[in-house]
Amino acid sequence: MNVPAEELAAVGEAARQVIREAKAAGVYAFAGGIHTAVAPLMVEADSTVRQATYPQTREFDGGFCVLRLPSREVAVRWAARIAQACRCAQELREFGDDPES
């Protein structure tokens, strides 16, 4: 996301509008961002705790939005709406269904 500071408020409002539309459509699950002031921790299988992160997430920036959608095609359309509002690319992932959860 490379938006001039004077446009951040407009980008935030555009993103919140898409979230409002997702809520109105009944597909919104939750959304949030990573609290950058709190350092990540790695908790190992032996319960060892250390301040670290996965190498591929060293520069994580932004947040996430989880929607319950009927198909990947619909998910792509919602991701495009979010990308347009945020003025940056969005990574689309799919949760695997776990019948035990």
Side-chain angles (χ1 to χ4, degrees):
M1 182 177 207
N2 189 9
V3 176
E6 64 272 9
E7 295 179 28
L8 282 176
V11 169
E13 177 53 30
R16 285 187 292 279
Q17 180 58 36
V18 175
I19 296 302
R20 287 191 288 272
E21 292 168 11
K23 288 178 179 180
V27 299
Y28 178 85
F30 64 92
I34 300 300
H35 196 312
T36 58
V38 179
L41 297 176
M42 291 295 287
V43 181
E44 304 293 342
D46 66 0
S47 300
T48 302
V49 178
R50 60 191 168 89
Q51 188 171 323
T53 187
Y54 290 114
Q56 66 270 30
T57 59
R58 287 193 199 284
E59 295 186 32
F60 184 85
D61 183 24
F64 58 91
C65 178
V66 177
L67 303 178
R68 292 182 183 98
L69 301 167
S71 69
R72 189 160 183 88
E73 292 77 23
V74 173
V76 168
R77 289 196 297 269
W78 277 100
R81 292 174 72 181
I82 294 169
Q84 183 179 19
C86 293
R87 302 182 195 175
C88 63
Q90 301 293 303
E91 181 178 7
L92 179 61
R93 296 286 185 126
E94 185 174 330
F95 278 105
D97 185 29
D98 180 356
E100 294 288 324
S101 63

